[in-house]
């Protein structure tokens, strides 16, 4: 009898119903005390902070423990913020469910950065999206807080965003991809492939990521490209950020 | 196929805290979130429980959060709400399941309830959600719509009836092609099932309709049954994988397009009709791209059309989809058309539809895009409409999809009774010289300077909704189109009156000829225009009437004057002199004597005036009176003065 076992003190004067500390915890306050600095994000099953010069950083990337979710599985939650400010909300509140048949799962209404029109790609377990038009005829809402966005180089009207911890069906590994039929972005994951970014380093990490704390973690994300052509000659677009190739 | 649902529970507060030794013994409480599905008519706001003292409501909304005192409910808590199966919460669930989802007492099966077909029999079968419901006796009644014979069987768990046929439902055949269908003509019937479970009386509303609403535009939703006027229709071309075909349905033909893409139909004479088929949620809303409709899209986002769901969020009851979602959001509830209701059902965790500034942001993105009367609500879910939709969008039928739902929404019904609706019925009025005031396309071209949309031969639209209302913005409140006061006339402050004056004002060369607004604002020597200062301008008499005392929206769109109001509001105790006949007769005689054309009663001069006909100041003055059939009411002193001044001396 789970709730019968609960006992505690009602905190007098804790504010309106549902807004007290207990409620705040329930709504997903999930502090990350090991964070370094204020620029951190979940990356797959891992967590990274970007803090140049911090002890233990590799090219400015620090691997930190990813705190457990308020309850349930990590994938059930969508978290943002760093340190004591980190909060989580149920992922199901803002995106469609995965519908699975055998080894194939489809998400009819995948998470997108905001109410613009987007085309997206799933690269190494990271979702990268490019906006190609504002959405017309409705009241726009708050952007999804898990995406990091910026303007494409030389195209200030065009935005590109990256999500290092996108929705995935439970139980890795999955190989996910976006279908970008106009107006109908959907996401399909098939069983197989390798774990998403944030995985253990193994033999090597992909271009644009480094091995920190035995995790493949992305270099600092300042989204500014969709393809290599958006970058300066010789540079390459990796995880939506132009980067100089290793010499 | 399995659906992986993520935990949607938000408010599981485990509230365990250490107690200071000096504090009195705490009361142990646990939080329990009670939810109900969107559909099912579960009245969560009337949630009750036994023992009554064992819980209290902490938060109420789409979900109800209870603080439960386990010690006061040793046998568990029995939850009950109208429409739901009783649920005993024994506390045996794990900590992660401190969330109860009430099950509707009955589900309903009956086929494609939103479009069963005109004259079609229907059978509604209640599916019990629990043993208590299985044993319940159910009674049925029709609460709105056509009168039908409704029979119940199997202790009320089955109801049978027949929907009205097309004629009885008021479906009018268009001259050709797709039939527009409004809430009024879709043959909708609302039924109510009533029962009692463990002392809790419950009701469930079930709506059945013969047809889904349709604007008549050739841009339609997948799965929507289209009604075609005439016979002999067949599918000439359809998208790959499509299989839908035309079926005869009485004097009509019907087609259910089952795939997105372009369909081509041909009638018995070989005339082709091309339609584009899509789903609302799958249509890109990139209409505002810089090379397309940028300004229109930007302006539209802030209009009442686009914000209607946003503004009503929290006050709508999503459990009443036909009312709440059918006209405040995109799509037809009950169809798999990618509309709001369809996507809502597709999402794993139904949103909570709460109030407050964060409520909109809390809606999932796919629903925000469909919440409100967005682009595809009027233009159709086909991404790029057929060229023929360019003129068809101007028809009142498009607005009628929502605004023809009497007795509550009477905009189109009223308008259809007005002379505005038939302004271009006479083919002569569709000539270029007349279209600027007799047809919507011509009027819009005249006042906006944009190219005139070309109508097919024989098509009349009247002065329809779009002439006076600007759904995309640049309006002066209530979507009233903002136009300038007529050149040379008085500055009219009231936006609606400016619209009226744009046609019903002083003749200008080659322009409009009706003169009511001129008469209203004209002043006889030493007199004040009697109706120039009526509050509300033209609509003060021709408009809403007793809108303040009626719940009907759109009341007054017939623009008729209720003369009884003259005597009760302004002319108290002294009814206005009605010299309608005498004034008009004198004007016609004078006009003829001055060399004008002979005019039959009720015929304005501009309808008869020949090219090269004489025009003098005296004739123009008399024309002003003759052009306004209500000159006697608008400003009799001024009309008399005009005639007196025109009289030969």
């Amino acid at each position: 009898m789970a709730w019968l076992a609960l006992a505690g003190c009602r905190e007098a004067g804790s504010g309106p119903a549902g807004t007290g500390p207990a409620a705040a915890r329930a709504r997903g306050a999930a502090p990350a005390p090991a964070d370094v600095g204020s620029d951190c994000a979940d990356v797959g099953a891992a967590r990274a902070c970007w803090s140049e010069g911090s002890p233990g950083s590799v090219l400015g990337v620090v691997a930190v423990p990813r705190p457990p979710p308020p309850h349930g599985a990590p994938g059930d939650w969508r978290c943002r913020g760093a340190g004591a400010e980190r909060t989580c909300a149920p992922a199901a509140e803002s995106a469609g469910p995965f519908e699975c048949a055998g080894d194939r799962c489809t998400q009819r209404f995948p998470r997108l950065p905001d109410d613009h029109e987007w085309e997206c790609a799933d690269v190494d377990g990271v979702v990268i999206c490019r906006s190609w038009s504002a959405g017309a005829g409705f009241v726009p809402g708050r952007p999804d807080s898990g995406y990091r966005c910026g303007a494409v180089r030389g195209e200030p009207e065009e935005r590109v965003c990256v999500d290092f911890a996108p929705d995935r069906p439970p139980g890795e590994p999955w190989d996910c991809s976006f279908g970008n039929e106009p107006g109908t972005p959907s996401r399909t994951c098939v069983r197989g492939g390798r774990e998403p970014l944030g995985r253990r380093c193994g033999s090597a990490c992909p271009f644009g990521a480094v091995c920190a704390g035995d995790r493949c973690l992305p270099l600092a994300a300042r989204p500014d490209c969709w393809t290599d052509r958006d970058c300066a000659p010789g540079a390459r677009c990796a995880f939506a950020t132009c980067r100089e190739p290793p010499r | 196929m399995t659906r992986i649902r993520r935990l949607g529970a938000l408010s599981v507060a485990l509230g365990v805290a250490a107690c200071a030794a000096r504090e009195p013994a705490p009361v142990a409480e646990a939080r329990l979130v009670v939810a109900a599905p969107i559909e099912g008519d579960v009245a969560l706001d009337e949630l009750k429980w036994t023992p009554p003292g064992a819980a209290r409501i902490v938060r109420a909304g789409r979900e109800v959060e209870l603080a439960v005192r386990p010690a006061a409910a040793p046998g568990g808590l029995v939850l009950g709400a109208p429409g739901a199966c009783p649920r005993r919460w024994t506390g045996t669930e794990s900590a992660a399941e401190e969330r109860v989802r009430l099950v509707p007492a009955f589900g309903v099966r009956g086929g494609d309830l939103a479009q069963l077909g005109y004259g079609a029999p229907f059978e509604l079968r209640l599916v019990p959600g629990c043993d208590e419901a299985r044993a319940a006796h159910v009674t049925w009644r029709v609460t709105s719509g056509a009168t039908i014979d409704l029979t119940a069987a199997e202790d009320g768990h089955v109801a049978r009836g027949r929907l009205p046929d097309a004629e009885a439902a008021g479906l009018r055949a268009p001259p050709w092609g797709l039939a527009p269908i409004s809430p009024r003509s879709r043959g909708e019937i609302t039924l109510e099932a009533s029962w009692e479970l463990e002392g809790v009386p419950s009701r469930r509303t079930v709506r059945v309709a013969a047809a889904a609403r349709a604007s008549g535009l050739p841009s339609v939703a997948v799965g929507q049954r289209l009604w075609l006027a005439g016979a002999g229709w067949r599918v000439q071309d359809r998208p790959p994988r499509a299989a839908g075909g035309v079926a005869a349905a009485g004097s009509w033909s019907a087609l259910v397009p089952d795939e997105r893409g372009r369909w081509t139909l041909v009638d018995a004479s070989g005339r082709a009709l091309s339609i584009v088929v899509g789903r609302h949620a799958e249509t890109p809303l990139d209409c505002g791209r810089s090379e397309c409709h940028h300004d229109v899209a930007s302006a539209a986002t802030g209009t009442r059309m686009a914000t209607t769901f946003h503004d009503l969020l929290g006050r709508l009851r999503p459990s009443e989809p036909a009312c709440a979602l059918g006209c405040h959001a995109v799509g037809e509830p009950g169809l798999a058309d990618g509309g709001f209701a369809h996507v809502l059902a597709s999402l794993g965790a139904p949103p909570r539809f709460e109030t407050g500034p964060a409520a909109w942001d809390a809606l999932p993105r796919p629903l925000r895009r469909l919440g409100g009367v967005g682009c595809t609500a009027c233009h159709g879910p086909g991404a790029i409409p057929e060229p023929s939709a360019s003129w068809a969008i101007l028809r009142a039928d498009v607005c009628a999809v929502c605004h023809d739902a009497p007795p509550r929404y009477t905009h189109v019904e009223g308008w259809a009774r007005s002379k505005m609706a038939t302004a271009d019925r006479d083919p002569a009025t569709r000539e270029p010289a007349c279209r600027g005031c007799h047809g919507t396309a011509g009027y819009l071209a005249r006042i906006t300077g944009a190219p005139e949309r070309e109508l097919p031969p024989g098509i009349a639209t009247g002065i329809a909704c779009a002439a006076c209302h600007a759904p995309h913005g640049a309006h002066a409140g209530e979507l009233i189109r903002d136009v300038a006061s007529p050149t040379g006339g008085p500055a009219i402050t009231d936006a609606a009156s400016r619209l009226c004056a744009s046609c019903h004002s002083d003749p200008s060369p080659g322009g409009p000829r009706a003169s009511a607004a001129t008469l209203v604002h004209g002043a006889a020597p030493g007199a004040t225009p009697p109706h120039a200062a009526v509050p509300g301008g033209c609509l003060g008499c021709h408009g809403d009437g007793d809108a303040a005392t009626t719940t009907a929206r759109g009341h007054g769109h017939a623009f008729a004057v209720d003369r009884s109001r003259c005597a009760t509001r302004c002319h108290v105790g002294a009814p206005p002199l009605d010299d309608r006949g005498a004034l008009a007769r004198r004007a016609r005689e004078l006009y003829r004597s001055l060399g004008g054309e002979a005019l039959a009663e009720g015929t304005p001069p501009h309808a008869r005036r020949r090219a090269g006909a004489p025009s003098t100041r005296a004739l123009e003055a008399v024309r002003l009176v003759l052009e306004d059939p209500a000159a006697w009411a608008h400003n009799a002193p001024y009309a008399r003065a005009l005639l007196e001044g025109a009289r030969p001396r």
Side-chain angles (χ1 to χ4, degrees):
Chain A
M1 298 180 72
W3 61 256
L4 291 176
L6 294 175
C9 299
R10 289 286 296 157
E11 295 178 68
S14 62
T19 62
R25 280 195 299 277
R27 292 193 72 82
D35 279 358
V36 178
S38 58
D39 187 11
C40 305
D42 295 340
V43 178
R47 183 166 175 82
C49 291
W50 294 278
S51 178
E52 287 286 349
S54 292
S57 75
V58 179
L59 296 177
V61 184
V62 186
V64 294
R66 177 171 172 171
H71 56 77
D76 295 337
W77 297 86
R78 182 87 173 151
C79 302
R80 67 186 176 113
E85 303 300 315
R86 183 172 181 267
T87 58
C88 297
E93 282 195 343
S94 46
F98 280 101
E99 294 188 352
C100 299
D103 285 344
R104 185 183 191 85
C105 296
T106 301
Q107 189 181 25
R108 271 281 289 113
F109 298 103
R111 184 182 311 281
L112 294 170
D114 64 17
D115 289 326
H116 280 224
E117 299 292 325
W118 296 91
E119 69 173 314
C120 301
D122 206 305
V123 180
D124 225 336
V126 171
V127 168
I128 302 166
C129 297
R130 177 177 68 163
S131 163
W132 50 280
S133 172
F138 62 94
V139 182
R142 183 180 54 201
D144 185 277
S145 57
Y147 276 93
R148 298 161 162 261
C149 298
V152 173
R153 286 191 184 193
E155 299 284 349
E157 301 280 306
E158 195 174 308
R159 291 185 304 131
V160 62
C161 300
V162 60
D163 179 6
F164 291 122
D167 301 328
R168 293 172 76 83
E172 294 291 345
W174 292 97
D175 184 11
C176 300
S177 60
F178 262 87
N180 281 304
E181 208 172 327
T184 56
S186 63
R187 197 144 165 265
T188 301
C189 298
V190 294
R191 179 69 70 184
R194 59 181 178 181
E195 289 187 33
L197 207 63
R199 61 183 174 265
R200 295 201 176 279
C201 298
S203 56
C205 292
F207 178 67
V210 295
C211 183
D214 193 28
R215 295 283 176 177
C216 284
L217 298 174
L219 293 162
R222 291 178 293 274
D224 60 357
C225 61
W226 174 248
T227 66
D228 292 349
R229 289 197 304 173
D230 298 324
C231 302
R236 287 172 56 195
C237 185
F239 302 118
T241 301
C242 290
R243 305 181 196 280
E244 294 297 324
R247 298 179 189 280
Chain B
M1 180 162 284
T2 59
R3 167 170 287 186
I4 298 173
R5 289 182 185 276
R6 297 190 155 158
L7 282 177
L10 280 182
S11 304
V12 182
L14 300 182
V16 181
C19 304
R22 63 181 179 277
E23 292 180 347
V27 177
E29 285 189 331
R31 296 296 167 94
L32 185 64
V33 176
V34 184
I38 290 286
E39 71 284 358
D41 278 3
V42 174
L44 208 52
D45 51 352
E46 296 177 41
L47 179 70
K48 289 188 170 46
W49 54 87
T50 52
R56 63 185 174 85
I57 292 177
V58 174
R59 180 176 60 87
R62 265 303 295 168
E63 302 171 335
V64 176
E65 184 177 341
L66 297 177
V68 184
R69 291 192 305 123
L77 206 60
V78 178
L79 300 161
C85 285
R87 169 76 188 265
R88 179 176 294 275
W89 177 251
T90 59
T92 55
E93 286 81 351
S94 70
E97 292 178 313
E98 289 192 35
R99 182 182 175 87
V100 172
R101 194 171 174 83
L102 296 183
V103 175
F106 290 107
V108 180
R109 284 190 194 146
D112 204 355
L113 299 184
Q115 47 177 9
L116 288 164
Y118 289 102
F122 65 87
E123 178 181 287
L124 302 175
R125 185 166 289 274
L126 295 178
V127 181
C130 52
D131 288 341
E132 293 90 337
R134 197 163 288 116
H137 172 73
V138 180
T139 58
W140 289 86
R141 69 184 182 111
V142 176
T143 57
S144 70
T147 304
I148 60 165
D149 289 329
L150 188 69
T151 58
E154 300 179 28
D155 213 15
H157 289 215
V158 174
R160 297 187 181 97
R162 182 181 292 275
L163 288 165
D165 61 27
E167 187 178 359
L171 183 66
R172 288 180 298 108
W176 183 79
L178 296 171
I181 299 171
S182 74
R184 185 162 59 112
S185 59
R186 68 182 298 213
E188 185 178 64
I189 293 171
T190 307
L191 308 166
E192 186 182 87
S194 305
W195 67 90
E196 196 170 300
L197 288 190
E198 300 198 344
V200 179
S202 297
R203 290 191 297 267
R204 170 136 196 190
T205 299
V206 182
R207 290 182 173 84
V208 294
R213 296 168 297 155
S215 66
L217 290 184
S219 175
V220 302
V222 174
Q224 176 175 359
R225 180 172 290 111
L226 310 176
W227 294 83
L228 296 150
W233 286 97
R234 62 184 174 82
V235 177
Q236 184 181 62
D237 196 17
R238 55 170 70 83
R241 300 189 304 277
V246 177
S251 60
W252 296 78
S253 299
L255 165 71
V256 181
D258 54 353
E259 278 291 342
R260 290 192 302 162
R262 186 174 302 278
W263 294 63
T264 305
L265 315 178
V266 289
D267 68 5
S269 70
R271 186 177 172 188
L273 170 65
S274 182
I275 57 176
V276 276
V277 178
R279 289 189 186 87
H280 296 282
E282 298 172 357
T283 300
L285 297 178
D286 58 339
C287 330
R289 280 184 296 171
S290 55
E291 67 272 29
C292 301
H293 309 288
H294 181 266
D295 294 343
V296 165
S298 297
T301 300
T303 66
R304 282 186 68 180
M305 303 289 279
T307 63
T308 180
F309 193 84
H310 172 272
D311 297 344
L312 290 175
L313 194 59
R315 284 186 279 153
L316 292 170
R317 289 195 62 183
S319 59
E320 298 174 353
C323 296
L325 303 183
C327 280
H328 297 96
V330 169
E332 179 73 284
L335 297 189
D337 59 355
F340 189 97
H342 179 216
V343 173
L344 178 63
S346 305
L347 290 170
R352 289 170 295 164
F353 294 101
E354 290 182 345
T355 53
W360 185 251
D361 288 332
L363 270 187
R365 175 184 181 276
L367 292 181
R368 279 199 302 266
R369 293 161 63 83
L370 301 165
V373 183
C375 309
T376 65
C378 299
H379 293 274
I384 305 291
E386 278 293 289
S388 61
S390 175
W391 73 265
I393 192 71
L394 299 180
R395 297 185 310 179
D397 298 321
V398 176
C399 312
V401 164
C402 283
H403 294 276
D404 185 29
R408 281 212 66 188
Y409 297 92
T410 60
H411 307 78
V412 175
E413 184 197 42
W415 169 84
R417 285 187 274 114
S418 75
K419 288 186 176 177
M420 312 284 275
T422 56
D424 58 351
R425 178 181 289 175
D426 180 350
T429 61
R430 300 200 286 269
E431 296 298 317
C434 309
R435 294 202 296 256
C437 273
H438 279 271
T440 305
Y443 175 76
L444 290 176
R446 183 170 67 80
I447 64 165
T448 66
E452 184 175 341
R453 298 172 197 232
E454 191 176 341
L455 272 63
I459 292 292
T461 63
I463 291 292
C465 319
C468 299
H469 295 283
H472 296 136
H475 55 81
E478 299 294 334
L479 300 181
I480 293 289
R481 198 175 285 282
D482 201 2
V483 299
S485 294
T487 307
I492 301 173
T493 56
D494 176 67
S497 298
R498 286 200 299 273
L499 269 173
C500 307
S502 67
C503 278
H504 296 272
S505 65
D506 200 8
S508 56
R513 298 290 169 171
S515 62
T518 308
L519 267 288
V520 166
H521 289 281
T528 304
H531 291 112
V534 168
C538 306
L539 296 181
C541 296
H542 287 273
D544 280 332
D546 292 324
T549 61
T550 176
T551 57
R553 309 284 178 86
H555 187 68
H557 271 67
F559 307 112
V561 174
D562 178 359
R563 290 178 60 194
S564 67
R565 292 170 54 228
C566 308
T568 56
R569 290 195 170 182
C570 301
H571 303 274
V572 179
L577 180 65
D578 183 351
D579 64 352
R580 173 196 332 223
L583 192 66
R585 191 164 50 250
R586 192 158 15 124
R588 279 198 305 276
E589 290 168 0
L590 186 55
Y591 190 67
R592 186 79 185 94
S593 71
L594 289 169
E597 304 86 348
L599 296 171
E601 189 177 351
T603 303
H606 80 260
R608 295 288 308 276
R609 197 173 169 195
R610 301 183 309 273
S615 184
T616 64
R617 288 191 61 173
L619 273 170
E620 290 298 321
V622 180
R623 278 191 191 116
L624 280 177
V625 177
L626 287 169
E627 289 286 4
D628 181 6
W632 61 275
H634 286 144
N635 194 344
Y638 183 46
R640 286 193 212 102
L642 287 169
L643 297 183
E644 184 60 27
R647 198 161 56 88
R649 306 197 183 268

